Amino acid sequence: MPPRHQRLQRRQTLLPHALSLAIVALAAEHAGAQAAEPAESAEKAKLEAVVVSGQGRVQQLQSVPIPIQVLGAEQLKKSGAANLGDLAATVPGLAMDATQATQPSLSLRGIGTLDFGIGTDSPVGMYVDGVYAGKTGGALLNFNDVKRIEVLKGPQGTLFGRNSAGGAISIVTNEPEFERKGSALLRLGERGQRDVQLLVNEPLNADLALRATLVSQRSDGFTQDAGTGQRFGGDHSWGLRASLLWQGESARAVLSLEQETLKQNARPAIGLVPLQSGVPPFPADPASYANPLTTPWRNDVADQGESRDYQGATLRLSWPLGGWLAGAELQSLTAWRHFNSRNRQDNDGTANPALYLATTNREGNTSWQQEFRLSGKNSLVDWMAGLSFHREQARQGADVDSSTTALDTLSGNVLGLPLFSTVNGLIDAVGIPGLNLREQAWHEQMDNRGAFRAVAVYGDLIWTLSPATRLTTGLRLTQDRKTFSWSNPLRSAPGLDAQLAALDAAGFFPGLVAAGALSEEQAAQLQGAMAGNVLIATSGASTAPVERRQRWHDASPRLVLDHRLSQDLMVYGSWSKGYQAGGFNSLQVNSVYEPEHVRNIELGAKGRWADAGLSYAASLFQYRFDNLQTLQLVPNAGGGIPAYQVTISDQQAHGADLDLRWQPARSWQLFANVQWLDQTYRHGRSSLGHALDGQPAGAPKLQASAGFEHGWSAAGGLASLRLQWSHQSATRCSEESYVQGLCLQGQGWRVGGSRQRLDGRLAWESADARWGLALVGRNLLDRREIQRVWYEAAPLGAAYATLARPRSLALEARVSY
């Protein structure tokens, strides 16, 4: 082993021991310091009030009759999370695959979509400062000066809009302040991790303040290509955000500009068929799959990688009104977003030319959003009305690359006749020298364009029926107009075409027909097979775009009744409806899907036991989701390459949420979140055509997260230890789960099993909180999880897996003024 790798291995082995020794040392110091602490340190401490804006108003969390989990700035900082994908395990009910930053998948309470196409939207809306962030290349950005994250469970269509039928995630960033401050954070860790965060906040005069932040994420990756030695699974991105606040006597304006650039290796495809030459057995036997956690792997896609260039601008205005609207406030939100992204990756998990399959997703998007909101409050009603406009221009290109060598494997497996080898044999028999139809590049593509417009008007009123009882009524009226086009040209294979032209010039196929070696029909079939599309399954290739225009309307109401039984206990019941606009399958020409609808009933309670420092929130829910659109990899009935198609199902679920926070003393904080979910298909068919009615829809029954934080005086400052444990029960497998690679039992490994995770942070900061040091550990138990098995190359006899990140440890230094 090279000396550099030996040193890296020693560091990876010693770091966990260093964490243990540090905990023991600080615990010993804590024991001595604790004896000297005054008795009042054990007194009960009041829990801090948590502020949220999920209902379009600034409210106390415990007074909002919606199930919301809030992640504050301190919690985000202590977790060491770079983006929302790093936090999914700590939010029960939230599932996110962030292995591809430009193609993330997101679900909440079991509702989501794996679709990476621009023709459909996610039923879980993601919003940054009220601006819709979409679901594709621009949805998953690294955290940059985030104040809090609000995860709102259940339909949020009345306030957030059509793209939140299954819930909403609201990210709120910090605004400039009229106070001079700044900070810097450096985090160095295993596998070349080097994260930087810089912040400067400056008041420019009595009315203007500027805030600027920079974040940079770097790491080398956690797995290595056995052939090239190149590391995969790392990060390479940076982002800049600048905000300007103008504060007049009453009106205010905030202008924010942001930029993020990402350029890193593609996700690694860990091959499950270890053969690196020749043709593997077909069909592949899953019992023979290699363990992706231990087997060496190789990829062979040239110019692989994932990149994105993102820009955004947001202007928020607010001013009070006079006259007959005295006491009301008018707000305006204007936003522009633009990004270009590219993701090219290996889809067979090998470096075997006989199995070569690669895909590239190219995406560009420009969106504009304008929203006006008028709000006010009196002794009878807290009211709000709004008007929203959204416009989006999107383009996407899906490229599939292979070779005639791999297509020979495909035709041999499916038809029992390796097409190009067979023709090569005929060429040799005829005696035409210098021609070889194998080893030629083969390319197919689908290009899409979308123009989307949405207009909505909404209102939300919180009526005070009595000092203890409130009734909330809300309604959003939405109109969606969408134009979508497909262009699926004939395959491109210049080298092959040159050789086929030589065969035509020699009269090859007519000569075979004349000699009786082939019939005219057989000759035409061979020529057609070598000239037609086989990788992108569609209703027919077309050089001219095929365009569709659709329009949909919806009314999404909500009704909530809450009653305060005492000063510290509120109970509520709600009924709400969510709407997801119809859409198009970007990989299936001329396909249209009707809107999705969800109806949700919720019963809940929120309260606190002030003397004990305990607060809690609990809810019972039941929903019915109709016409849910989910992207599935559907096997080709003719045996060819599987095609991604949007399948439709009706689903239902009931479950419960529990959120606890307990601060028994000033130095102790404990927290726990639990979700129990029973989700099943009402109606639906699997990708194999079988009925799914009554089968589980895949979401695990139980997700939980719990932990504690303890602080004590040490070395003239404050030391703290934070541990957070997360658990997810096994995937509830159906026939579709096995087809999609979400459930599989291998030799010594499993996909879809239960998951455990432990994160920790051991920190010290100075008494004035100006600087500090920390040791941050993520996935401390080093649970190696296999996220999924992928079967795009199944007709070639290949499959691959993707992996979650292993344990990571990092040292952190922070300074502020």
Side-chain angles (χ1 to χ4, degrees), residues 128-171:
V128 180
D129 293 328
V131 180
Y132 178 59
K135 72 168 179 66
T136 54
L140 184 65
L141 301 179
N142 284 338
F143 295 144
N144 193 340
D145 202 20
V146 173
K147 184 176 184 179
R148 67 179 180 273
I149 299 174
E150 302 174 12
V151 181
L152 298 91
K153 302 177 181 181
Q156 306 297 325
T158 302
L159 294 174
F160 283 91
R162 59 187 172 85
N163 296 316
S164 55
I169 299 173
S170 176
I171 300 176

mmCIF file of all heavy atoms in Angstrom, residues 128-171:
data_model
loop_
_atom_site.group_PDB
_atom_site.id
_atom_site.type_symbol
_atom_site.label_atom_id
_atom_site.label_comp_id
_atom_site.label_asym_id
_atom_site.label_seq_id
_atom_site.Cartn_x
_atom_site.Cartn_y
_atom_site.Cartn_z
ATOM 1 N N VAL A 128 -37.689 28.873 -0.713
ATOM 2 C CA VAL A 128 -36.629 29.632 -0.050
ATOM 3 C C VAL A 128 -37.091 31.080 0.036
ATOM 4 O O VAL A 128 -37.274 31.744 -0.985
ATOM 5 C CB VAL A 128 -35.299 29.533 -0.811
ATOM 6 C CG1 VAL A 128 -34.215 30.329 -0.085
ATOM 7 C CG2 VAL A 128 -34.871 28.079 -0.971
ATOM 8 N N ASP A 129 -37.345 31.544 1.267
ATOM 9 C CA ASP A 129 -37.881 32.893 1.488
ATOM 10 C C ASP A 129 -39.146 33.128 0.675
ATOM 11 O O ASP A 129 -39.360 34.204 0.110
ATOM 12 C CB ASP A 129 -36.832 33.960 1.155
ATOM 13 C CG ASP A 129 -35.661 33.937 2.116
ATOM 14 O OD1 ASP A 129 -35.869 33.598 3.293
ATOM 15 O OD2 ASP A 129 -34.534 34.251 1.690
ATOM 16 N N GLY A 130 -39.990 32.093 0.600
ATOM 17 C CA GLY A 130 -41.255 32.208 -0.105
ATOM 18 C C GLY A 130 -41.187 31.973 -1.591
ATOM 19 O O GLY A 130 -42.224 31.997 -2.267
ATOM 20 N N VAL A 131 -39.999 31.724 -2.139
ATOM 21 C CA VAL A 131 -39.831 31.534 -3.577
ATOM 22 C C VAL A 131 -39.768 30.036 -3.874
ATOM 23 O O VAL A 131 -38.961 29.314 -3.280
ATOM 24 C CB VAL A 131 -38.549 32.219 -4.081
ATOM 25 C CG1 VAL A 131 -38.384 32.013 -5.586
ATOM 26 C CG2 VAL A 131 -38.579 33.702 -3.745
ATOM 27 N N TYR A 132 -40.593 29.581 -4.800
ATOM 28 C CA TYR A 132 -40.632 28.169 -5.149
ATOM 29 C C TYR A 132 -39.314 27.753 -5.781
ATOM 30 O O TYR A 132 -38.816 28.381 -6.710
ATOM 31 C CB TYR A 132 -41.783 27.891 -6.113
ATOM 32 C CG TYR A 132 -41.890 26.456 -6.568
ATOM 33 C CD1 TYR A 132 -42.056 25.431 -5.644
ATOM 34 C CD2 TYR A 132 -41.831 26.131 -7.921
ATOM 35 C CE1 TYR A 132 -42.155 24.105 -6.050
ATOM 36 C CE2 TYR A 132 -41.937 24.810 -8.333
ATOM 37 C CZ TYR A 132 -42.087 23.805 -7.397
ATOM 38 O OH TYR A 132 -42.184 22.505 -7.805
ATOM 39 N N ALA A 133 -38.722 26.671 -5.253
ATOM 40 C CA ALA A 133 -37.397 26.235 -5.702
ATOM 41 C C ALA A 133 -37.456 25.074 -6.686
ATOM 42 O O ALA A 133 -36.412 24.593 -7.120
ATOM 43 C CB ALA A 133 -36.541 25.835 -4.496
ATOM 44 N N GLY A 134 -38.635 24.590 -7.033
ATOM 45 C CA GLY A 134 -38.735 23.524 -8.011
ATOM 46 C C GLY A 134 -38.351 22.173 -7.459
ATOM 47 O O GLY A 134 -38.254 21.960 -6.253
ATOM 48 N N LYS A 135 -38.096 21.213 -8.360
ATOM 49 C CA LYS A 135 -37.766 19.857 -7.933
ATOM 50 C C LYS A 135 -36.558 19.283 -8.664
ATOM 51 O O LYS A 135 -36.091 18.209 -8.320
ATOM 52 C CB LYS A 135 -38.948 18.920 -8.184
ATOM 53 C CG LYS A 135 -39.179 18.622 -9.653
ATOM 54 C CD LYS A 135 -40.146 17.477 -9.859
ATOM 55 C CE LYS A 135 -40.389 17.210 -11.321
ATOM 56 N NZ LYS A 135 -39.193 16.710 -12.025
ATOM 57 N N THR A 136 -36.053 19.952 -9.670
ATOM 58 C CA THR A 136 -34.986 19.358 -10.468
ATOM 59 C C THR A 136 -33.649 20.008 -10.142
ATOM 60 O O THR A 136 -33.250 20.053 -8.993
ATOM 61 C CB THR A 136 -35.325 19.469 -11.968
ATOM 62 O OG1 THR A 136 -35.612 20.845 -12.278
ATOM 63 C CG2 THR A 136 -36.541 18.649 -12.317
ATOM 64 N N GLY A 137 -32.933 20.509 -11.146
ATOM 65 C CA GLY A 137 -31.561 20.943 -10.954
ATOM 66 C C GLY A 137 -31.343 22.048 -9.954
ATOM 67 O O GLY A 137 -30.260 22.164 -9.378
ATOM 68 N N GLY A 138 -32.343 22.900 -9.698
ATOM 69 C CA GLY A 138 -32.159 24.015 -8.788
ATOM 70 C C GLY A 138 -32.792 23.848 -7.432
ATOM 71 O O GLY A 138 -32.845 24.802 -6.647
ATOM 72 N N ALA A 139 -33.270 22.632 -7.104
ATOM 73 C CA ALA A 139 -34.009 22.447 -5.854
ATOM 74 C C ALA A 139 -33.102 22.236 -4.651
ATOM 75 O O ALA A 139 -33.408 22.686 -3.548
ATOM 76 C CB ALA A 139 -34.969 21.261 -5.982
ATOM 77 N N LEU A 140 -31.980 21.546 -4.839
ATOM 78 C CA LEU A 140 -31.126 21.177 -3.710
ATOM 79 C C LEU A 140 -29.857 22.011 -3.732
ATOM 80 O O LEU A 140 -28.871 21.654 -4.377
ATOM 81 C CB LEU A 140 -30.787 19.676 -3.760
ATOM 82 C CG LEU A 140 -29.980 19.149 -2.579
ATOM 83 C CD1 LEU A 140 -30.788 19.234 -1.290
ATOM 84 C CD2 LEU A 140 -29.544 17.713 -2.833
ATOM 85 N N LEU A 141 -29.880 23.136 -3.011
ATOM 86 C CA LEU A 141 -28.715 23.999 -2.880
ATOM 87 C C LEU A 141 -28.117 23.841 -1.487
ATOM 88 O O LEU A 141 -28.814 23.463 -0.537
ATOM 89 C CB LEU A 141 -29.093 25.463 -3.110
ATOM 90 C CG LEU A 141 -29.720 25.808 -4.468
ATOM 91 C CD1 LEU A 141 -30.067 27.291 -4.514
ATOM 92 C CD2 LEU A 141 -28.793 25.442 -5.615
ATOM 93 N N ASN A 142 -26.844 24.121 -1.358
ATOM 94 C CA ASN A 142 -26.218 24.065 -0.041
ATOM 95 C C ASN A 142 -26.727 25.191 0.843
ATOM 96 O O ASN A 142 -27.057 26.283 0.359
ATOM 97 C CB ASN A 142 -24.700 24.157 -0.172
ATOM 98 C CG ASN A 142 -24.085 22.849 -0.654
ATOM 99 O OD1 ASN A 142 -24.680 21.791 -0.506
ATOM 100 N ND2 ASN A 142 -22.907 22.925 -1.229
ATOM 101 N N PHE A 143 -26.801 24.938 2.154
ATOM 102 C CA PHE A 143 -27.257 25.949 3.097
ATOM 103 C C PHE A 143 -26.315 27.151 3.067
ATOM 104 O O PHE A 143 -25.097 27.005 3.122
ATOM 105 C CB PHE A 143 -27.287 25.386 4.511
ATOM 106 C CG PHE A 143 -28.292 24.288 4.706
ATOM 107 C CD1 PHE A 143 -28.025 23.218 5.552
ATOM 108 C CD2 PHE A 143 -29.509 24.310 4.059
ATOM 109 C CE1 PHE A 143 -28.945 22.201 5.742
ATOM 110 C CE2 PHE A 143 -30.444 23.305 4.235
ATOM 111 C CZ PHE A 143 -30.159 22.248 5.080
ATOM 112 N N ASN A 144 -26.906 28.334 2.990
ATOM 113 C CA ASN A 144 -26.118 29.565 2.966
ATOM 114 C C ASN A 144 -26.847 30.611 3.806
ATOM 115 O O ASN A 144 -27.836 31.182 3.371
ATOM 116 C CB ASN A 144 -25.930 30.056 1.527
ATOM 117 C CG ASN A 144 -24.875 31.133 1.403
ATOM 118 O OD1 ASN A 144 -24.525 31.789 2.384
ATOM 119 N ND2 ASN A 144 -24.355 31.318 0.205
ATOM 120 N N ASP A 145 -26.363 30.805 5.032
ATOM 121 C CA ASP A 145 -26.915 31.802 5.942
ATOM 122 C C ASP A 145 -28.389 31.538 6.246
ATOM 123 O O ASP A 145 -29.230 32.433 6.192
ATOM 124 C CB ASP A 145 -26.736 33.210 5.363
ATOM 125 C CG ASP A 145 -26.793 34.287 6.438
ATOM 126 O OD1 ASP A 145 -26.590 33.963 7.621
ATOM 127 O OD2 ASP A 145 -27.045 35.451 6.090
ATOM 128 N N VAL A 146 -28.698 30.294 6.586
ATOM 129 C CA VAL A 146 -30.078 29.897 6.865
ATOM 130 C C VAL A 146 -30.438 30.227 8.315
ATOM 131 O O VAL A 146 -29.688 29.930 9.239
ATOM 132 C CB VAL A 146 -30.275 28.388 6.601
ATOM 133 C CG1 VAL A 146 -31.653 27.937 7.052
ATOM 134 C CG2 VAL A 146 -30.080 28.098 5.114
ATOM 135 N N LYS A 147 -31.604 30.826 8.493
ATOM 136 C CA LYS A 147 -32.103 31.175 9.825
ATOM 137 C C LYS A 147 -32.868 30.012 10.457
ATOM 138 O O LYS A 147 -32.696 29.711 11.630
ATOM 139 C CB LYS A 147 -33.001 32.404 9.718
ATOM 140 C CG LYS A 147 -33.514 32.932 11.042
ATOM 141 C CD LYS A 147 -34.322 34.213 10.825
ATOM 142 C CE LYS A 147 -34.775 34.813 12.136
ATOM 143 N NZ LYS A 147 -35.549 36.065 11.915
ATOM 144 N N ARG A 148 -33.702 29.365 9.653
ATOM 145 C CA ARG A 148 -34.450 28.190 10.124
ATOM 146 C C ARG A 148 -35.038 27.466 8.922
ATOM 147 O O ARG A 148 -35.157 28.025 7.819
ATOM 148 C CB ARG A 148 -35.561 28.585 11.100
ATOM 149 C CG ARG A 148 -36.688 29.390 10.493
ATOM 150 C CD ARG A 148 -37.772 29.721 11.503
ATOM 151 N NE ARG A 148 -38.843 30.498 10.912
ATOM 152 C CZ ARG A 148 -38.842 31.824 10.809
ATOM 153 N NH1 ARG A 148 -37.822 32.526 11.287
ATOM 154 N NH2 ARG A 148 -39.872 32.451 10.251
ATOM 155 N N ILE A 149 -35.411 26.221 9.162
ATOM 156 C CA ILE A 149 -36.111 25.402 8.171
ATOM 157 C C ILE A 149 -37.396 24.915 8.809
ATOM 158 O O ILE A 149 -37.380 24.353 9.907
ATOM 159 C CB ILE A 149 -35.264 24.208 7.712
ATOM 160 C CG1 ILE A 149 -33.972 24.697 7.055
ATOM 161 C CG2 ILE A 149 -36.038 23.324 6.745
ATOM 162 C CD1 ILE A 149 -33.010 23.581 6.710
ATOM 163 N N GLU A 150 -38.503 25.128 8.134
ATOM 164 C CA GLU A 150 -39.805 24.683 8.619
ATOM 165 C C GLU A 150 -40.311 23.564 7.714
ATOM 166 O O GLU A 150 -40.459 23.752 6.507
ATOM 167 C CB GLU A 150 -40.808 25.833 8.628
ATOM 168 C CG GLU A 150 -40.374 27.017 9.476
ATOM 169 C CD GLU A 150 -41.319 28.199 9.360
ATOM 170 O OE1 GLU A 150 -42.430 28.015 8.798
ATOM 171 O OE2 GLU A 150 -40.962 29.303 9.808
ATOM 172 N N VAL A 151 -40.530 22.394 8.285
ATOM 173 C CA VAL A 151 -41.071 21.252 7.543
ATOM 174 C C VAL A 151 -42.551 21.139 7.904
ATOM 175 O O VAL A 151 -42.902 20.760 9.020
ATOM 176 C CB VAL A 151 -40.326 19.956 7.889
ATOM 177 C CG1 VAL A 151 -40.894 18.792 7.093
ATOM 178 C CG2 VAL A 151 -38.829 20.116 7.623
ATOM 179 N N LEU A 152 -43.412 21.502 6.979
ATOM 180 C CA LEU A 152 -44.858 21.513 7.189
ATOM 181 C C LEU A 152 -45.451 20.263 6.567
ATOM 182 O O LEU A 152 -45.371 20.052 5.353
ATOM 183 C CB LEU A 152 -45.491 22.758 6.572
ATOM 184 C CG LEU A 152 -45.044 24.109 7.140
ATOM 185 C CD1 LEU A 152 -43.844 24.652 6.369
ATOM 186 C CD2 LEU A 152 -46.185 25.116 7.074
ATOM 187 N N LYS A 153 -46.038 19.413 7.386
ATOM 188 C CA LYS A 153 -46.536 18.125 6.933
ATOM 189 C C LYS A 153 -48.017 18.204 6.594
ATOM 190 O O LYS A 153 -48.777 18.899 7.260
ATOM 191 C CB LYS A 153 -46.277 17.069 7.999
ATOM 192 C CG LYS A 153 -44.797 16.930 8.358
ATOM 193 C CD LYS A 153 -44.557 15.928 9.467
ATOM 194 C CE LYS A 153 -43.079 15.838 9.824
ATOM 195 N NZ LYS A 153 -42.816 14.849 10.895
ATOM 196 N N GLY A 154 -48.413 17.494 5.554
ATOM 197 C CA GLY A 154 -49.787 17.535 5.084
ATOM 198 C C GLY A 154 -49.955 18.586 3.998
ATOM 199 O O GLY A 154 -49.070 19.414 3.755
ATOM 200 N N PRO A 155 -51.089 18.602 3.302
ATOM 201 C CA PRO A 155 -51.310 19.549 2.195
ATOM 202 C C PRO A 155 -51.183 20.999 2.655
ATOM 203 O O PRO A 155 -51.767 21.388 3.664
ATOM 204 C CB PRO A 155 -52.737 19.232 1.741
ATOM 205 C CG PRO A 155 -53.004 17.851 2.235
ATOM 206 C CD PRO A 155 -52.238 17.703 3.499
ATOM 207 N N GLN A 156 -50.429 21.780 1.894
ATOM 208 C CA GLN A 156 -50.248 23.201 2.197
ATOM 209 C C GLN A 156 -50.620 24.064 0.995
ATOM 210 O O GLN A 156 -50.084 25.146 0.804
ATOM 211 C CB GLN A 156 -48.785 23.465 2.596
ATOM 212 C CG GLN A 156 -48.268 22.595 3.723
ATOM 213 C CD GLN A 156 -49.011 22.814 5.023
ATOM 214 O OE1 GLN A 156 -49.431 23.920 5.337
ATOM 215 N NE2 GLN A 156 -49.179 21.738 5.793
ATOM 216 N N GLY A 157 -51.554 23.558 0.175
ATOM 217 C CA GLY A 157 -51.880 24.236 -1.062
ATOM 218 C C GLY A 157 -52.499 25.604 -0.893
ATOM 219 O O GLY A 157 -52.300 26.484 -1.722
ATOM 220 N N THR A 158 -53.259 25.833 0.160
ATOM 221 C CA THR A 158 -53.935 27.120 0.319
ATOM 222 C C THR A 158 -52.945 28.266 0.432
ATOM 223 O O THR A 158 -53.118 29.321 -0.174
ATOM 224 C CB THR A 158 -54.844 27.087 1.562
ATOM 225 O OG1 THR A 158 -55.785 26.027 1.418
ATOM 226 C CG2 THR A 158 -55.579 28.404 1.709
ATOM 227 N N LEU A 159 -51.880 28.076 1.205
ATOM 228 C CA LEU A 159 -50.927 29.152 1.427
ATOM 229 C C LEU A 159 -49.708 29.072 0.509
ATOM 230 O O LEU A 159 -49.178 30.093 0.079
ATOM 231 C CB LEU A 159 -50.465 29.146 2.889
ATOM 232 C CG LEU A 159 -51.561 29.479 3.912
ATOM 233 C CD1 LEU A 159 -51.026 29.299 5.318
ATOM 234 C CD2 LEU A 159 -52.067 30.894 3.715
ATOM 235 N N PHE A 160 -49.239 27.851 0.205
ATOM 236 C CA PHE A 160 -48.010 27.726 -0.570
ATOM 237 C C PHE A 160 -48.261 27.486 -2.053
ATOM 238 O O PHE A 160 -47.401 27.802 -2.868
ATOM 239 C CB PHE A 160 -47.146 26.593 -0.004
ATOM 240 C CG PHE A 160 -46.419 26.976 1.246
ATOM 241 C CD1 PHE A 160 -46.980 26.758 2.480
ATOM 242 C CD2 PHE A 160 -45.169 27.565 1.190
ATOM 243 C CE1 PHE A 160 -46.320 27.105 3.644
ATOM 244 C CE2 PHE A 160 -44.485 27.924 2.337
ATOM 245 C CZ PHE A 160 -45.064 27.699 3.575
ATOM 246 N N GLY A 161 -49.388 26.856 -2.408
ATOM 247 C CA GLY A 161 -49.665 26.706 -3.822
ATOM 248 C C GLY A 161 -49.768 25.280 -4.288
ATOM 249 O O GLY A 161 -49.763 24.325 -3.514
ATOM 250 N N ARG A 162 -49.833 25.134 -5.612
ATOM 251 C CA ARG A 162 -50.133 23.869 -6.257
ATOM 252 C C ARG A 162 -49.060 22.820 -6.042
ATOM 253 O O ARG A 162 -49.303 21.632 -6.190
ATOM 254 C CB ARG A 162 -50.311 24.100 -7.762
ATOM 255 C CG ARG A 162 -49.084 24.699 -8.420
ATOM 256 C CD ARG A 162 -49.317 25.074 -9.873
ATOM 257 N NE ARG A 162 -48.188 25.813 -10.417
ATOM 258 C CZ ARG A 162 -47.114 25.242 -10.932
ATOM 259 N NH1 ARG A 162 -47.034 23.937 -10.966
ATOM 260 N NH2 ARG A 162 -46.127 25.968 -11.402
ATOM 261 N N ASN A 163 -47.831 23.203 -5.729
ATOM 262 C CA ASN A 163 -46.738 22.246 -5.627
ATOM 263 C C ASN A 163 -46.473 21.810 -4.198
ATOM 264 O O ASN A 163 -45.340 21.499 -3.837
ATOM 265 C CB ASN A 163 -45.462 22.853 -6.227
ATOM 266 C CG ASN A 163 -45.609 23.123 -7.709
ATOM 267 O OD1 ASN A 163 -46.127 22.300 -8.448
ATOM 268 N ND2 ASN A 163 -45.197 24.295 -8.145
ATOM 269 N N SER A 164 -47.494 21.769 -3.376
ATOM 270 C CA SER A 164 -47.320 21.358 -1.977
ATOM 271 C C SER A 164 -48.481 20.475 -1.529
ATOM 272 O O SER A 164 -48.929 20.567 -0.400
ATOM 273 C CB SER A 164 -47.197 22.584 -1.079
ATOM 274 O OG SER A 164 -48.296 23.461 -1.248
ATOM 275 N N ALA A 165 -48.928 19.602 -2.437
ATOM 276 C CA ALA A 165 -50.038 18.728 -2.103
ATOM 277 C C ALA A 165 -49.678 17.756 -0.993
ATOM 278 O O ALA A 165 -50.531 17.344 -0.208
ATOM 279 C CB ALA A 165 -50.492 17.961 -3.351
ATOM 280 N N GLY A 166 -48.416 17.354 -0.916
ATOM 281 C CA GLY A 166 -47.997 16.435 0.112
ATOM 282 C C GLY A 166 -47.279 17.083 1.276
ATOM 283 O O GLY A 166 -46.903 16.404 2.232
ATOM 284 N N GLY A 167 -47.081 18.389 1.213
ATOM 285 C CA GLY A 167 -46.375 19.101 2.270
ATOM 286 C C GLY A 167 -45.478 20.173 1.677
ATOM 287 O O GLY A 167 -45.381 20.328 0.449
ATOM 288 N N ALA A 168 -44.805 20.910 2.543
ATOM 289 C CA ALA A 168 -43.933 21.985 2.090
ATOM 290 C C ALA A 168 -42.722 22.095 3.011
ATOM 291 O O ALA A 168 -42.809 21.814 4.208
ATOM 292 C CB ALA A 168 -44.684 23.319 2.048
ATOM 293 N N ILE A 169 -41.605 22.477 2.427
ATOM 294 C CA ILE A 169 -40.385 22.746 3.181
ATOM 295 C C ILE A 169 -40.023 24.199 2.931
ATOM 296 O O ILE A 169 -39.741 24.589 1.792
ATOM 297 C CB ILE A 169 -39.240 21.817 2.759
ATOM 298 C CG1 ILE A 169 -39.624 20.359 3.031
ATOM 299 C CG2 ILE A 169 -37.956 22.170 3.486
ATOM 300 C CD1 ILE A 169 -38.639 19.361 2.510
ATOM 301 N N SER A 170 -40.067 24.986 3.977
ATOM 302 C CA SER A 170 -39.821 26.420 3.878
ATOM 303 C C SER A 170 -38.474 26.751 4.513
ATOM 304 O O SER A 170 -38.279 26.547 5.708
ATOM 305 C CB SER A 170 -40.943 27.201 4.565
ATOM 306 O OG SER A 170 -40.671 28.583 4.553
ATOM 307 N N ILE A 171 -37.546 27.241 3.703
ATOM 308 C CA ILE A 171 -36.226 27.644 4.175
ATOM 309 C C ILE A 171 -36.207 29.161 4.302
ATOM 310 O O ILE A 171 -36.493 29.877 3.338
ATOM 311 C CB ILE A 171 -35.129 27.167 3.215
ATOM 312 C CG1 ILE A 171 -35.152 25.639 3.111
ATOM 313 C CG2 ILE A 171 -33.753 27.647 3.665
ATOM 314 C CD1 ILE A 171 -34.171 25.068 2.103
#
